[in-house]
Amino acid sequence: MGSIGTTGSAGLIHEGHGPVRYGPSAPDMGLPALPDLVAVLADAAGQTSPEPPGGGPVLREAACGYWSRRGLPTHPQEAAVAAGPQPLLLALLAAHGGDILMPRPHPASWAPQARLLGRPVFQVPTPAECGGVPDPYALLETVRRVRAEGGTPRLLLLSIADDPTGTVAPPELLREACEAAVGEGLHIISDETWRDTLHRPHETVPLSPAEMWPDDVTVFFDLAGAFTPAAWPAAVARFPATSGGALRRARTLDRLTALGALVAGPVAAAAAHALDEPTAVTERAAAATALHARVAGAVHHAVLSAGALTRPPQAGRHLYADLGPARRALAARGVGDSMELEEFLGERLGVQVPGGHRFGDELGALRVRLATGPLLGSTPEERMESLNAPEPLELPHVAEALGILTTVLAEAREPR
């Protein structure tokens, strides 16, 4: 049997059960860079200086336009840009004091930032409907328990469209969770990286907590979610228009400066162009999202057909599969936890299939994140063919990759 990827990841997985450096990156778009953005980057290649801390005026103005078009009017003095989401989140966390709460599961990059700062992290279960936000009642219980034990909970991280589950928080649930957090005096940091990758944009309404509690929410997102290649690191934060927001922004800029997390000049030009959302950028983003939605639907079907569990994917380029129903069959193959499941599937598929332990989930839970990007093809030409095809699932290379995935998932539930 072949593998989905051109480069096997078994060696990386064998080494990488624990160290952060072997942890998974965010699901990649899997497509060549948009030529219009490449041209802008190339035109700016002669720039030899990085952007100032927090980004220059052109880039911040572009970010303000992006948010204003989504119902969040923003002034340039309320925005900051950094060279990627990890240093930006690290700086945001460092600018706030206190203990940190986050849903479980959560993006793989969140907890390492808190650990790097030596800050306590408390995970809160998510509701049955979705990932990304904590169950409101569990959140209140966790806050009160932490305080009773002498802790100082002050920050809640959440995501309205989630990695790893690929779900979108319903507005009413998001409102309840945020109301509970604000009522307990927590500041909210909302990761909105995937809000522009909704699979059914006319049916799903993404609601930012900043629309409901503008004074209590800081928003950030990674441009690689919908607009730019991951190799061009750029992420943007929006701070509340309050004196407290201004203070936190100043502290964040100090941390970004200390980290050297300044956006490269050519990358800033491409990022500003993308944030202006010209037709070529929005059309590519919509086409890429539609492609990943089609493939995610096929992966969802394959997971359910194998007797595993997963929520229907609603955003992004990934879904979260629970192979718990196959626990007995997997145990016979030496797979008893998510580390071993990661290795088992990674060896057979030839791509990273990160286990749930990467996302703060219980080690004993047999959960993995499945990404759709590797299914689009192994060459730039195949991936572009997938993007442009009216029926991408019928392309030989996509059908073959889905067939391999289906076979491997079926193998996992078969007794030895």
Side-chain angles (χ1 to χ4, degrees):
M1 182 178 66
S3 62
I4 290 175
T6 56
T7 303
S9 60
L12 179 143
I13 293 173
H14 280 304
E15 280 190 273
H17 284 319
V20 172
R21 64 183 179 278
Y22 295 115
S25 57
D28 190 78
M29 195 176 296
L31 297 169
L34 179 67
D36 289 45
L37 291 178
V38 172
V40 172
L41 186 85
D43 287 343
Q47 296 186 23
T48 57
S49 298
E51 293 279 287
V58 173
L59 184 50
R60 286 185 287 117
E61 284 279 5
C64 292
Y66 167 89
W67 276 308
S68 294
R69 290 188 293 274
R70 286 155 180 80
L72 289 172
T74 307
H75 188 274
Q77 291 303 313
E78 298 155 9
V81 191
Q86 287 87 0
L88 179 57
L89 179 57
L90 180 67
L92 289 172
L93 297 179
H96 292 76
D99 301 340
I100 301 166
L101 286 80
M102 58 182 68
R104 185 179 69 189
H106 51 71
S109 62
W110 282 7
Q113 315 302 320
R115 288 200 297 268
L116 189 60
L117 294 169
R119 301 276 286 282
V121 172
F122 299 92
Q123 300 184 104
V124 186
T126 55
E129 300 97 307
C130 66
V133 300
D135 177 89
Y137 298 102
L139 174 64
L140 290 172
E141 181 181 342
T142 302
V143 169
R144 289 162 188 168
R145 174 176 58 82
V146 172
R147 285 182 177 146
E149 295 173 355
T152 55
R154 291 181 183 167
L155 271 179
L156 171 65
L157 269 66
L158 56 77
S159 53
I160 61 173
D162 184 47
D163 171 21
T165 67
T167 58
V168 179
E172 61 277 9
L173 182 59
L174 180 65
R175 184 182 297 275
E176 290 176 12
C178 292
E179 186 173 23
V182 172
E184 291 294 330
L186 303 182
H187 187 79
I188 297 169
I189 297 180
S190 175
D191 183 347
E192 302 187 2
T193 294
W194 303 103
R195 72 167 293 159
D196 295 301
T197 65
L198 300 181
H199 295 178
R200 296 177 178 84
H202 299 297
E203 299 176 17
T204 308
V205 180
L207 180 66
S208 172
E211 297 178 55
M212 298 179 283
W213 284 275
D215 294 347
D216 300 293
V217 178
T218 298
V219 174
F220 83 98
F221 72 96
D222 181 3
L223 268 72
F227 298 114
T228 58
W232 306 353
V236 189
R238 177 189 185 274
F239 296 84
T242 63
S243 58
L247 178 60
R248 292 188 187 103
R249 179 178 182 272
R251 290 175 176 170
T252 299
L253 297 188
D254 285 343
R255 273 73 177 175
L256 292 175
T257 304
L259 291 168
L262 310 180
V263 182
V267 171
H273 185 75
L275 288 168
D276 284 337
E277 297 183 281
T279 300
V281 169
T282 56
E283 288 182 348
R284 163 59 81 87
T289 296
L291 169 62
H292 283 283
R294 293 286 299 277
V295 177
V299 174
H300 180 250
H301 176 74
V303 171
L304 296 182
S305 296
L309 306 173
T310 181
R311 297 183 181 101
Q314 298 174 290
R317 305 183 278 267
H318 52 283
L319 48 77
Y320 201 48
D322 185 349
L323 276 66
R327 181 175 295 277
R328 181 174 297 179
L330 286 167
R333 298 175 182 275
V335 177
D337 60 33
S338 61
M339 284 188 182
E340 295 165 345
L341 181 60
E342 176 182 285
E343 186 174 307
F344 175 85
L345 294 177
E347 286 179 340
R348 286 156 178 77
L349 296 174
V351 295
Q352 265 200 341
V353 187
H357 61 287
R358 305 285 190 180
F359 310 103
D361 226 333
E362 298 173 359
L363 180 62
L366 296 174
R367 300 185 185 115
V368 292
R369 187 186 70 189
L370 298 172
T372 53
L375 303 172
L376 304 184
S378 58
T379 66
E381 292 76 18
E382 286 184 347
R383 295 173 193 137
M384 286 305 297
E385 186 180 7
S386 299
L387 180 67
N388 296 322
E391 298 294 337
L393 301 183
E394 297 178 4
L395 293 173
H397 59 271
V398 176
E400 180 184 8
L402 284 168
I404 292 170
L405 175 63
T406 300
T407 299
V408 170
L409 291 173
E411 178 189 353
R413 69 172 181 176
E414 293 173 358
R416 297 195 70 170

